[in-house]
Amino acid sequence: MTQTGTAVDAPPSAEGGAAPKRPATEDRRQKWRSRRYRWDAKFSPYAFISPFFLFFAAFGLFPLLYTAWASLHRVELTAPTDMEWAGLHNYTRLFEDHFFWNSLWVTFTLAVLSTVPQLLMAMGLAHLLNYKMRGSSFFRVAMLAPYATSVAAATLVFAMLYGRDYGLINWFLGLFGVDEIDWKSGDWTSKIAISTIVIWRWTGYNTLIYLAAMQAVPHDLYESAALDGASRWKQFRYVTIPSLRPTILFTVVVSTIGSVQLFGEPLLFEEGAGASGGPDHQFQTLGLYLYEQGWRNLHLGRAAAIAWVMFLILVVIGIVFGLISRRLRKS
Amino acid sequence: MGLFGTFGFKEAGLYDEYEKLNPDITIKETVIERNENYYPQLLNHLTSNSGLADVQAIEVANIAEVVDTQSDRFVDLGKVDGASKDAFLDWKWQQATADDGKTIGLGTDVGPMAVCYRKDHFKAAGLPTDRDEVAKLWAGDWEKFLDAGRDFKENGPEGVAWVDSADAVYDGAIASSEGKYYDESGEVIYKDSQDVKDAWGIAATAAEEKLTGNLEQFTKQWDQAMSNGDFATISCPAWMLGYIQEKGGTKAEGKWDVAQSPKPGNWGGAFLGVPESGPNKDEAAKLVAWLTAPEQQAKLFAERGNFPSAPPAYDMEAVKTATNPYFGDAPIGELFSASAQEIPVQTIGPKDQVIDDNIGNGLQLIEQGKQDPDGAWDEAVKAVDNALDQ
């Protein structure tokens, strides 16, 4: 655009010093207008980002606070509006609640059983995919396939594979003379079986994250290491791993949060068990116990307290990892 | 229509028939397979007054709780044209009636008990195969049922269990007793109830002596065992026949038969209620009255096997002469009618389902060899008390 004629839209300051000639109303309007410009500059950014915060307030913050409020009451699903003040009773009872401690233990063991092998395998696979080879993009897409399947579908298939009498896994072990394993009822076997579902679904996802980080490692680091006579393994240990430190921390945090909230897999693993996590509660995670209290036993207050305890556990985990990462940055 | 499980109205052609009679009405149904998922959702919709269908089904294990806590949210069906108290089994009508005389649901089906058994396995074990002879083996006493099981274990085919699961033995035994988990005044008494102790004792013995196949009902494993004939007997309320037929398929055809159970009892059944807030509640109430009338219940039994909760239906030809070809032409109409009229009147309570589930878990602990009967009972009590504690 070229400018022609008078600058109609020019800001007021461009009109020169003819201020005394102007009537008072004009003056006020000027002031008003400049104030509007100032406000515009000041508040517009907030307006632009407000949708997220409005949604968060409605669907995140409000439920969070309402859950906290509900957890201080005795309240049943049969009458959610009849709240009877209970103070901290729902929290203090958790200390002697054998089923709560059991679910905490189950959640912890499942987290370790699924996260550790998952991340180690992801690291190894990413390292292999990092080499130049044929069909590498095919492998990278294939890695994501399990992540794209639904939890329900994957769990139902695995539940069939782990069947006691007619499961494929027991049939295969039977070829080597191993006796039938009752995967679902065993204390550790059920946990291992559920971990494999989690491992299967998330390994590919983490592999791709590691791979992306590996490709960002400067190539000349490897070259100089090779010149110094470092083997492939040594290069991996002394160049790749240290460069990946922040990424590793990120995947550990995300996997840990995921493990604390584990719900779908144990719920669907044994159809008959429902929310109890097996007759011995041997795979009842925190999420499952919350669900059982709220939607099977209909005690919303108790369920709300468990939900808040889970939230606090996640906050603590967040703080711990935050401290670790600060440490790492300093070193 | 908001339903769970398999009511079979649609499959039996009852909707089409009603739409023909009332051209200005169309009936749609949404079905959730498992009641344990359906029921919390129903409560949620009732208490928030949104998302309700014109007609909602209620399972017998939940009816007491709904009557106790939600009765003002349902239409009184006792006052609807075409619904008459006399047409239903008395206890069935009472179960859905509040203290103030309001009836919030009309009974669809009941679950009179029998025992289904595999003729081929019985023959192999040297037991009788004729249904009257088989019924004599255990008439009047669940203990005798266990004796027959011991006999079977001794002489029967290898790798075939006497009965599918301890939990199902318990369900059958508790269904045929007078008392259950609550007393008349609504107090929870399961810990001291002799009926519960007896039923538990029978089931725990079956589990301990390895007479059960350790197969939890309604799981894939149980389905597969059904079609492969891995167990010889199963507690058989009327609606179970449909399951056996479906899961057993052609592989097990002609191998099953039905005999009277040790004691008559009721396991399962349901109700249809009409929420107050529905837009078409008057029409919905008429539909429910029609669907649960004796004629329609008889038709449903003939088509689908759900046994009527309306005694006038028992005298209708469709019920009286009903036989089931899959079960060796067993005279199921006669058999279940006899059982239905002998059902003891049980006191039911709001948390029956929760108590039942946790007791079932306890029995599984014995089957899986994790606990002895006493230890398992303690575990079950711990779980029940935790579940009941608000």
Short mmCIF file of all heavy atoms in Angstrom, two decimals, chain A residues 49-104:
data_model
loop_
_atom_site.label_atom_id
_atom_site.label_comp_id
_atom_site.label_asym_id
_atom_site.label_seq_id
_atom_site.Cartn_x
_atom_site.Cartn_y
_atom_site.Cartn_z
N ILE A 49 -5.50 -15.75 25.42
CA ILE A 49 -5.22 -17.07 26.03
C ILE A 49 -6.34 -17.50 26.97
O ILE A 49 -6.29 -18.59 27.52
CB ILE A 49 -3.88 -17.07 26.80
CG1 ILE A 49 -3.89 -16.00 27.89
CG2 ILE A 49 -2.71 -16.91 25.86
CD1 ILE A 49 -2.74 -16.12 28.84
N SER A 50 -7.36 -16.65 27.16
CA SER A 50 -8.39 -16.98 28.15
C SER A 50 -9.15 -18.27 27.87
O SER A 50 -9.53 -18.95 28.82
CB SER A 50 -9.36 -15.83 28.31
OG SER A 50 -10.11 -15.70 27.13
N PRO A 51 -9.43 -18.63 26.59
CA PRO A 51 -10.23 -19.85 26.41
C PRO A 51 -9.67 -21.04 27.16
O PRO A 51 -10.41 -21.74 27.85
CB PRO A 51 -10.17 -20.08 24.90
CG PRO A 51 -9.96 -18.75 24.33
CD PRO A 51 -9.16 -17.97 25.33
N PHE A 52 -8.34 -21.22 27.08
CA PHE A 52 -7.75 -22.36 27.78
C PHE A 52 -8.05 -22.29 29.27
O PHE A 52 -8.46 -23.26 29.88
CB PHE A 52 -6.24 -22.42 27.55
CG PHE A 52 -5.57 -23.36 28.51
CD1 PHE A 52 -5.66 -24.73 28.32
CD2 PHE A 52 -4.89 -22.90 29.63
CE1 PHE A 52 -5.08 -25.62 29.21
CE2 PHE A 52 -4.31 -23.77 30.53
CZ PHE A 52 -4.40 -25.13 30.32
N PHE A 53 -7.85 -21.10 29.83
CA PHE A 53 -8.00 -21.00 31.28
C PHE A 53 -9.46 -21.14 31.72
O PHE A 53 -9.75 -21.70 32.76
CB PHE A 53 -7.40 -19.69 31.79
CG PHE A 53 -5.90 -19.75 31.82
CD1 PHE A 53 -5.15 -19.23 30.78
CD2 PHE A 53 -5.25 -20.40 32.85
CE1 PHE A 53 -3.77 -19.32 30.79
CE2 PHE A 53 -3.87 -20.50 32.87
CZ PHE A 53 -3.13 -19.96 31.83
N LEU A 54 -10.38 -20.65 30.87
CA LEU A 54 -11.78 -20.82 31.20
C LEU A 54 -12.15 -22.31 31.21
O LEU A 54 -12.80 -22.79 32.12
CB LEU A 54 -12.66 -20.06 30.20
CG LEU A 54 -12.59 -18.54 30.34
CD1 LEU A 54 -13.37 -17.86 29.23
CD2 LEU A 54 -13.14 -18.10 31.70
N PHE A 55 -11.68 -23.00 30.17
CA PHE A 55 -11.95 -24.44 30.11
C PHE A 55 -11.31 -25.17 31.28
O PHE A 55 -11.91 -26.03 31.89
CB PHE A 55 -11.44 -25.03 28.78
CG PHE A 55 -12.45 -24.98 27.70
CD1 PHE A 55 -12.44 -23.97 26.76
CD2 PHE A 55 -13.46 -25.94 27.64
CE1 PHE A 55 -13.41 -23.91 25.78
CE2 PHE A 55 -14.42 -25.89 26.66
CZ PHE A 55 -14.40 -24.87 25.72
N PHE A 56 -10.06 -24.76 31.57
CA PHE A 56 -9.37 -25.41 32.68
C PHE A 56 -10.11 -25.18 33.99
O PHE A 56 -10.28 -26.08 34.80
CB PHE A 56 -7.94 -24.91 32.78
CG PHE A 56 -7.20 -25.49 33.95
CD1 PHE A 56 -6.78 -26.81 33.92
CD2 PHE A 56 -6.96 -24.74 35.09
CE1 PHE A 56 -6.13 -27.37 35.01
CE2 PHE A 56 -6.31 -25.29 36.17
CZ PHE A 56 -5.90 -26.60 36.13
N ALA A 57 -10.60 -23.95 34.17
CA ALA A 57 -11.32 -23.65 35.41
C ALA A 57 -12.58 -24.51 35.51
O ALA A 57 -12.90 -25.04 36.57
CB ALA A 57 -11.69 -22.18 35.46
N ALA A 58 -13.28 -24.67 34.38
CA ALA A 58 -14.54 -25.41 34.41
C ALA A 58 -14.31 -26.92 34.54
O ALA A 58 -15.00 -27.60 35.29
CB ALA A 58 -15.34 -25.11 33.16
N PHE A 59 -13.34 -27.44 33.77
CA PHE A 59 -13.20 -28.90 33.70
C PHE A 59 -11.99 -29.44 34.47
O PHE A 59 -11.79 -30.63 34.55
CB PHE A 59 -13.11 -29.35 32.24
CG PHE A 59 -14.36 -29.06 31.48
CD1 PHE A 59 -14.43 -27.95 30.65
CD2 PHE A 59 -15.48 -29.88 31.60
CE1 PHE A 59 -15.60 -27.66 29.95
CE2 PHE A 59 -16.64 -29.60 30.91
CZ PHE A 59 -16.70 -28.48 30.08
N GLY A 60 -11.15 -28.56 35.00
CA GLY A 60 -9.98 -29.02 35.74
C GLY A 60 -10.02 -28.56 37.18
O GLY A 60 -10.08 -29.35 38.12
N LEU A 61 -10.01 -27.24 37.34
CA LEU A 61 -9.89 -26.68 38.67
C LEU A 61 -11.13 -26.93 39.52
O LEU A 61 -11.05 -27.37 40.65
CB LEU A 61 -9.62 -25.17 38.54
CG LEU A 61 -9.12 -24.51 39.82
CD1 LEU A 61 -7.77 -25.09 40.19
CD2 LEU A 61 -9.01 -23.00 39.61
N PHE A 62 -12.32 -26.67 38.94
CA PHE A 62 -13.54 -26.83 39.73
C PHE A 62 -13.71 -28.27 40.22
O PHE A 62 -13.94 -28.49 41.42
CB PHE A 62 -14.77 -26.37 38.93
CG PHE A 62 -16.05 -26.71 39.60
CD1 PHE A 62 -16.45 -26.04 40.76
CD2 PHE A 62 -16.85 -27.73 39.11
CE1 PHE A 62 -17.62 -26.39 41.40
CE2 PHE A 62 -18.03 -28.08 39.76
CZ PHE A 62 -18.42 -27.41 40.90
N PRO A 63 -13.58 -29.29 39.31
CA PRO A 63 -13.70 -30.67 39.81
C PRO A 63 -12.67 -30.99 40.89
O PRO A 63 -12.97 -31.69 41.85
CB PRO A 63 -13.45 -31.52 38.56
CG PRO A 63 -13.78 -30.64 37.43
CD PRO A 63 -13.44 -29.25 37.87
N LEU A 64 -11.46 -30.45 40.71
CA LEU A 64 -10.40 -30.71 41.68
C LEU A 64 -10.81 -30.20 43.07
O LEU A 64 -10.73 -30.92 44.07
CB LEU A 64 -9.12 -30.00 41.22
CG LEU A 64 -7.82 -30.42 41.87
CD1 LEU A 64 -7.42 -31.78 41.35
CD2 LEU A 64 -6.72 -29.41 41.55
N LEU A 65 -11.30 -28.97 43.10
CA LEU A 65 -11.68 -28.38 44.38
C LEU A 65 -12.94 -29.03 44.92
O LEU A 65 -13.07 -29.28 46.12
CB LEU A 65 -11.90 -26.87 44.21
CG LEU A 65 -10.63 -26.12 43.80
CD1 LEU A 65 -10.93 -24.65 43.54
CD2 LEU A 65 -9.55 -26.25 44.87
N TYR A 66 -13.87 -29.35 44.04
CA TYR A 66 -15.12 -29.97 44.50
C TYR A 66 -14.83 -31.36 45.07
O TYR A 66 -15.43 -31.77 46.07
CB TYR A 66 -16.12 -30.07 43.36
CG TYR A 66 -17.49 -30.46 43.84
CD1 TYR A 66 -18.34 -29.53 44.43
CD2 TYR A 66 -17.93 -31.78 43.75
CE1 TYR A 66 -19.59 -29.89 44.90
CE2 TYR A 66 -19.18 -32.15 44.22
CZ TYR A 66 -20.00 -31.21 44.79
OH TYR A 66 -21.23 -31.57 45.27
N THR A 67 -13.89 -32.07 44.43
CA THR A 67 -13.49 -33.38 44.94
C THR A 67 -12.90 -33.24 46.34
O THR A 67 -13.19 -34.04 47.24
CB THR A 67 -12.45 -34.03 44.01
OG1 THR A 67 -13.00 -34.09 42.70
CG2 THR A 67 -12.11 -35.44 44.45
N ALA A 68 -12.09 -32.21 46.53
CA ALA A 68 -11.51 -31.97 47.85
C ALA A 68 -12.62 -31.74 48.87
O ALA A 68 -12.61 -32.28 49.97
CB ALA A 68 -10.58 -30.77 47.81
N TRP A 69 -13.61 -30.95 48.49
CA TRP A 69 -14.74 -30.65 49.36
C TRP A 69 -15.52 -31.93 49.68
O TRP A 69 -15.85 -32.21 50.83
CB TRP A 69 -15.63 -29.62 48.66
CG TRP A 69 -16.85 -29.18 49.41
CD1 TRP A 69 -18.14 -29.29 49.00
CD2 TRP A 69 -16.90 -28.54 50.69
NE1 TRP A 69 -19.00 -28.79 49.93
CE2 TRP A 69 -18.26 -28.31 50.99
CE3 TRP A 69 -15.93 -28.16 51.61
CZ2 TRP A 69 -18.68 -27.71 52.17
CZ3 TRP A 69 -16.33 -27.56 52.80
CH2 TRP A 69 -17.69 -27.33 53.07
N ALA A 70 -15.78 -32.74 48.64
CA ALA A 70 -16.53 -33.98 48.83
C ALA A 70 -15.77 -34.95 49.73
O ALA A 70 -16.36 -35.70 50.50
CB ALA A 70 -16.82 -34.63 47.49
N SER A 71 -14.41 -34.92 49.65
CA SER A 71 -13.62 -35.89 50.41
C SER A 71 -13.69 -35.61 51.91
O SER A 71 -13.30 -36.44 52.71
CB SER A 71 -12.16 -35.88 49.94
OG SER A 71 -11.52 -34.71 50.38
N LEU A 72 -14.19 -34.45 52.29
CA LEU A 72 -14.33 -34.12 53.71
C LEU A 72 -15.71 -34.48 54.24
O LEU A 72 -16.09 -34.10 55.33
CB LEU A 72 -14.06 -32.63 53.92
CG LEU A 72 -12.69 -32.14 53.47
CD1 LEU A 72 -12.59 -30.63 53.57
CD2 LEU A 72 -11.58 -32.80 54.29
N HIS A 73 -16.48 -35.19 53.42
CA HIS A 73 -17.85 -35.53 53.80
C HIS A 73 -18.13 -37.01 53.68
O HIS A 73 -17.41 -37.73 53.01
CB HIS A 73 -18.86 -34.78 52.91
CG HIS A 73 -18.84 -33.31 53.11
ND1 HIS A 73 -17.87 -32.52 52.55
CD2 HIS A 73 -19.67 -32.49 53.79
CE1 HIS A 73 -18.09 -31.26 52.89
NE2 HIS A 73 -19.17 -31.21 53.64
N ARG A 74 -19.24 -37.41 54.33
CA ARG A 74 -19.80 -38.72 54.07
C ARG A 74 -20.85 -38.50 53.00
O ARG A 74 -21.83 -37.82 53.24
CB ARG A 74 -20.47 -39.23 55.36
CG ARG A 74 -20.29 -40.69 55.57
CD ARG A 74 -20.84 -41.14 56.91
NE ARG A 74 -19.78 -41.59 57.79
CZ ARG A 74 -19.40 -40.94 58.89
NH1 ARG A 74 -19.98 -39.86 59.25
NH2 ARG A 74 -18.40 -41.41 59.62
N VAL A 75 -20.61 -39.05 51.80
CA VAL A 75 -21.60 -38.81 50.74
C VAL A 75 -21.70 -40.04 49.85
O VAL A 75 -20.69 -40.66 49.52
CB VAL A 75 -21.28 -37.53 49.94
CG1 VAL A 75 -19.85 -37.52 49.47
CG2 VAL A 75 -22.19 -37.35 48.75
N GLU A 76 -22.93 -40.41 49.51
CA GLU A 76 -23.19 -41.64 48.76
C GLU A 76 -23.68 -41.32 47.36
O GLU A 76 -24.32 -40.29 47.15
CB GLU A 76 -24.27 -42.47 49.48
CG GLU A 76 -23.86 -42.94 50.85
CD GLU A 76 -22.81 -44.03 50.80
OE1 GLU A 76 -23.13 -45.15 50.40
OE2 GLU A 76 -21.65 -43.76 51.16
N LEU A 77 -23.42 -42.22 46.43
CA LEU A 77 -23.88 -42.00 45.05
C LEU A 77 -25.41 -42.02 44.97
O LEU A 77 -26.00 -41.45 44.05
CB LEU A 77 -23.29 -43.07 44.12
CG LEU A 77 -23.54 -42.88 42.62
CD1 LEU A 77 -22.82 -41.67 42.08
CD2 LEU A 77 -23.13 -44.11 41.83
N THR A 78 -26.06 -42.65 45.94
CA THR A 78 -27.52 -42.70 45.90
C THR A 78 -28.14 -41.33 46.18
O THR A 78 -29.29 -41.09 45.86
CB THR A 78 -28.07 -43.70 46.94
OG1 THR A 78 -27.41 -43.46 48.17
CG2 THR A 78 -27.84 -45.12 46.50
N ALA A 79 -27.37 -40.44 46.82
CA ALA A 79 -27.86 -39.09 47.11
C ALA A 79 -26.67 -38.13 47.18
O ALA A 79 -26.26 -37.74 48.27
CB ALA A 79 -28.63 -39.08 48.42
N PRO A 80 -26.12 -37.75 46.02
CA PRO A 80 -24.87 -36.97 46.00
C PRO A 80 -24.99 -35.60 46.65
O PRO A 80 -23.99 -34.99 46.97
CB PRO A 80 -24.57 -36.81 44.50
CG PRO A 80 -25.46 -37.75 43.80
CD PRO A 80 -26.63 -38.01 44.68
N THR A 81 -26.23 -35.10 46.83
CA THR A 81 -26.35 -33.75 47.40
C THR A 81 -26.46 -33.79 48.92
O THR A 81 -26.35 -32.75 49.56
CB THR A 81 -27.58 -33.04 46.81
OG1 THR A 81 -28.68 -33.96 46.84
CG2 THR A 81 -27.32 -32.62 45.39
N ASP A 82 -26.72 -34.97 49.50
CA ASP A 82 -26.77 -35.06 50.96
C ASP A 82 -25.37 -35.29 51.51
O ASP A 82 -24.91 -36.42 51.60
CB ASP A 82 -27.66 -36.25 51.41
CG ASP A 82 -29.09 -36.04 50.97
OD1 ASP A 82 -29.40 -34.92 50.54
OD2 ASP A 82 -29.87 -36.99 51.05
N MET A 83 -24.72 -34.19 51.90
CA MET A 83 -23.35 -34.34 52.41
C MET A 83 -23.36 -34.19 53.92
O MET A 83 -23.95 -33.27 54.46
CB MET A 83 -22.46 -33.26 51.81
CG MET A 83 -22.17 -33.48 50.34
SD MET A 83 -20.89 -32.33 49.86
CE MET A 83 -20.47 -32.95 48.25
N GLU A 84 -22.68 -35.13 54.56
CA GLU A 84 -22.59 -35.06 56.01
C GLU A 84 -21.13 -34.82 56.37
O GLU A 84 -20.26 -35.61 55.99
CB GLU A 84 -23.08 -36.39 56.60
CG GLU A 84 -23.16 -36.39 58.10
CD GLU A 84 -23.34 -37.81 58.63
OE1 GLU A 84 -23.86 -38.67 57.87
OE2 GLU A 84 -22.91 -38.07 59.75
N TRP A 85 -20.85 -33.73 57.07
CA TRP A 85 -19.47 -33.36 57.37
C TRP A 85 -18.73 -34.48 58.10
O TRP A 85 -19.23 -35.02 59.08
CB TRP A 85 -19.46 -32.08 58.22
CG TRP A 85 -18.08 -31.63 58.57
CD1 TRP A 85 -17.46 -31.76 59.76
CD2 TRP A 85 -17.15 -31.00 57.69
NE1 TRP A 85 -16.19 -31.24 59.69
CE2 TRP A 85 -15.96 -30.77 58.43
CE3 TRP A 85 -17.18 -30.60 56.35
CZ2 TRP A 85 -14.82 -30.16 57.88
CZ3 TRP A 85 -16.05 -30.00 55.80
CH2 TRP A 85 -14.91 -29.78 56.56
N ALA A 86 -17.55 -34.84 57.63
CA ALA A 86 -16.81 -35.92 58.27
C ALA A 86 -15.39 -35.49 58.61
O ALA A 86 -14.61 -36.29 59.12
CB ALA A 86 -16.78 -37.14 57.36
N GLY A 87 -15.05 -34.25 58.30
CA GLY A 87 -13.69 -33.78 58.59
C GLY A 87 -12.67 -34.60 57.83
O GLY A 87 -12.85 -34.93 56.68
N LEU A 88 -11.60 -34.97 58.52
CA LEU A 88 -10.52 -35.70 57.86
C LEU A 88 -10.69 -37.21 57.98
O LEU A 88 -9.78 -37.97 57.67
CB LEU A 88 -9.17 -35.27 58.45
CG LEU A 88 -8.75 -33.85 58.10
CD1 LEU A 88 -7.50 -33.47 58.85
CD2 LEU A 88 -8.53 -33.69 56.59
N HIS A 89 -11.87 -37.65 58.41
CA HIS A 89 -12.10 -39.07 58.65
C HIS A 89 -11.76 -39.93 57.44
O HIS A 89 -11.16 -41.00 57.57
CB HIS A 89 -13.54 -39.29 59.08
CG HIS A 89 -13.90 -40.72 59.26
ND1 HIS A 89 -13.28 -41.53 60.18
CD2 HIS A 89 -14.82 -41.51 58.64
CE1 HIS A 89 -13.80 -42.74 60.12
NE2 HIS A 89 -14.73 -42.76 59.20
N ASN A 90 -12.15 -39.45 56.25
CA ASN A 90 -11.89 -40.24 55.04
C ASN A 90 -10.39 -40.41 54.78
O ASN A 90 -9.98 -41.35 54.11
CB ASN A 90 -12.55 -39.60 53.82
CG ASN A 90 -14.04 -39.82 53.80
OD1 ASN A 90 -14.52 -40.81 54.35
ND2 ASN A 90 -14.78 -38.90 53.21
N TYR A 91 -9.59 -39.45 55.27
CA TYR A 91 -8.14 -39.55 55.08
C TYR A 91 -7.50 -40.41 56.17
O TYR A 91 -6.66 -41.26 55.90
CB TYR A 91 -7.51 -38.16 55.07
CG TYR A 91 -7.89 -37.37 53.85
CD1 TYR A 91 -8.98 -36.51 53.87
CD2 TYR A 91 -7.17 -37.50 52.66
CE1 TYR A 91 -9.35 -35.80 52.73
CE2 TYR A 91 -7.53 -36.80 51.53
CZ TYR A 91 -8.62 -35.95 51.56
OH TYR A 91 -8.98 -35.26 50.45
N THR A 92 -7.91 -40.15 57.42
CA THR A 92 -7.27 -40.89 58.52
C THR A 92 -7.58 -42.38 58.43
O THR A 92 -6.76 -43.21 58.78
CB THR A 92 -7.74 -40.35 59.89
OG1 THR A 92 -9.17 -40.29 59.87
CG2 THR A 92 -7.19 -38.97 60.15
N ARG A 93 -8.80 -42.72 57.94
CA ARG A 93 -9.15 -44.14 57.87
C ARG A 93 -8.25 -44.86 56.87
O ARG A 93 -8.06 -46.07 56.98
CB ARG A 93 -10.60 -44.32 57.48
CG ARG A 93 -10.85 -43.93 56.05
CD ARG A 93 -12.20 -44.27 55.48
NE ARG A 93 -13.20 -44.76 56.38
CZ ARG A 93 -14.50 -44.62 56.14
NH1 ARG A 93 -14.90 -43.97 55.08
NH2 ARG A 93 -15.39 -45.11 56.96
N LEU A 94 -7.70 -44.15 55.89
CA LEU A 94 -6.83 -44.79 54.90
C LEU A 94 -5.61 -45.41 55.56
O LEU A 94 -5.07 -46.40 55.08
CB LEU A 94 -6.39 -43.79 53.83
CG LEU A 94 -7.47 -43.35 52.83
CD1 LEU A 94 -6.92 -42.32 51.87
CD2 LEU A 94 -8.04 -44.52 52.07
N PHE A 95 -5.16 -44.82 56.69
CA PHE A 95 -3.95 -45.34 57.33
C PHE A 95 -4.15 -46.77 57.83
O PHE A 95 -3.23 -47.56 57.83
CB PHE A 95 -3.52 -44.43 58.50
CG PHE A 95 -2.90 -43.16 58.02
CD1 PHE A 95 -3.57 -41.95 58.14
CD2 PHE A 95 -1.66 -43.18 57.39
CE1 PHE A 95 -3.00 -40.78 57.67
CE2 PHE A 95 -1.09 -42.02 56.92
CZ PHE A 95 -1.76 -40.81 57.06
N GLU A 96 -5.38 -47.08 58.28
CA GLU A 96 -5.58 -48.46 58.73
C GLU A 96 -6.38 -49.28 57.73
O GLU A 96 -6.86 -50.35 58.06
CB GLU A 96 -6.24 -48.50 60.11
CG GLU A 96 -7.54 -47.76 60.20
CD GLU A 96 -7.50 -46.78 61.38
OE1 GLU A 96 -6.40 -46.29 61.68
OE2 GLU A 96 -8.54 -46.53 61.97
N ASP A 97 -6.55 -48.75 56.53
CA ASP A 97 -7.29 -49.47 55.50
C ASP A 97 -6.35 -50.42 54.76
O ASP A 97 -5.55 -50.02 53.92
CB ASP A 97 -7.91 -48.46 54.53
CG ASP A 97 -8.75 -49.14 53.46
OD1 ASP A 97 -8.66 -50.37 53.31
OD2 ASP A 97 -9.51 -48.43 52.77
N HIS A 98 -6.49 -51.70 55.10
CA HIS A 98 -5.64 -52.74 54.54
C HIS A 98 -5.71 -52.74 53.01
O HIS A 98 -4.72 -52.95 52.32
CB HIS A 98 -6.07 -54.07 55.16
CG HIS A 98 -5.85 -55.26 54.32
ND1 HIS A 98 -4.64 -55.90 54.26
CD2 HIS A 98 -6.67 -55.93 53.47
CE1 HIS A 98 -4.73 -56.92 53.42
NE2 HIS A 98 -5.95 -56.97 52.94
N PHE A 99 -6.90 -52.45 52.47
CA PHE A 99 -7.08 -52.51 51.02
C PHE A 99 -6.40 -51.33 50.33
O PHE A 99 -5.92 -51.44 49.21
CB PHE A 99 -8.57 -52.54 50.67
CG PHE A 99 -9.27 -53.74 51.21
CD1 PHE A 99 -9.99 -53.66 52.38
CD2 PHE A 99 -9.18 -54.96 50.56
CE1 PHE A 99 -10.61 -54.79 52.91
CE2 PHE A 99 -9.80 -56.09 51.07
CZ PHE A 99 -10.51 -56.00 52.24
N PHE A 100 -6.35 -50.19 51.02
CA PHE A 100 -5.66 -49.03 50.46
C PHE A 100 -4.16 -49.30 50.37
O PHE A 100 -3.54 -49.06 49.33
CB PHE A 100 -5.93 -47.79 51.31
CG PHE A 100 -5.06 -46.63 50.95
CD1 PHE A 100 -5.29 -45.92 49.78
CD2 PHE A 100 -3.98 -46.26 51.75
CE1 PHE A 100 -4.47 -44.85 49.43
CE2 PHE A 100 -3.16 -45.20 51.40
CZ PHE A 100 -3.41 -44.49 50.24
N TRP A 101 -3.57 -49.82 51.44
CA TRP A 101 -2.13 -50.11 51.43
C TRP A 101 -1.81 -51.16 50.38
O TRP A 101 -0.79 -51.08 49.70
CB TRP A 101 -1.65 -50.57 52.81
CG TRP A 101 -1.65 -49.44 53.78
CD1 TRP A 101 -2.49 -49.26 54.84
CD2 TRP A 101 -0.78 -48.29 53.76
NE1 TRP A 101 -2.21 -48.08 55.47
CE2 TRP A 101 -1.16 -47.47 54.84
CE3 TRP A 101 0.27 -47.88 52.94
CZ2 TRP A 101 -0.52 -46.26 55.12
CZ3 TRP A 101 0.92 -46.68 53.21
CH2 TRP A 101 0.52 -45.88 54.29
N ASN A 102 -2.71 -52.13 50.27
CA ASN A 102 -2.51 -53.15 49.25
C ASN A 102 -2.49 -52.51 47.86
O ASN A 102 -1.62 -52.82 47.04
CB ASN A 102 -3.63 -54.19 49.34
CG ASN A 102 -3.60 -55.18 48.18
OD1 ASN A 102 -2.68 -55.98 48.09
ND2 ASN A 102 -4.56 -55.09 47.29
N SER A 103 -3.42 -51.59 47.60
CA SER A 103 -3.48 -51.00 46.26
C SER A 103 -2.27 -50.10 46.01
O SER A 103 -1.78 -49.99 44.89
CB SER A 103 -4.78 -50.23 46.07
OG SER A 103 -4.84 -49.13 46.93
N LEU A 104 -1.77 -49.48 47.09
CA LEU A 104 -0.56 -48.66 46.95
C LEU A 104 0.63 -49.54 46.56
O LEU A 104 1.42 -49.22 45.67
CB LEU A 104 -0.29 -47.96 48.29
CG LEU A 104 0.56 -46.70 48.27
CD1 LEU A 104 -0.09 -45.64 47.42
CD2 LEU A 104 0.72 -46.17 49.69
#
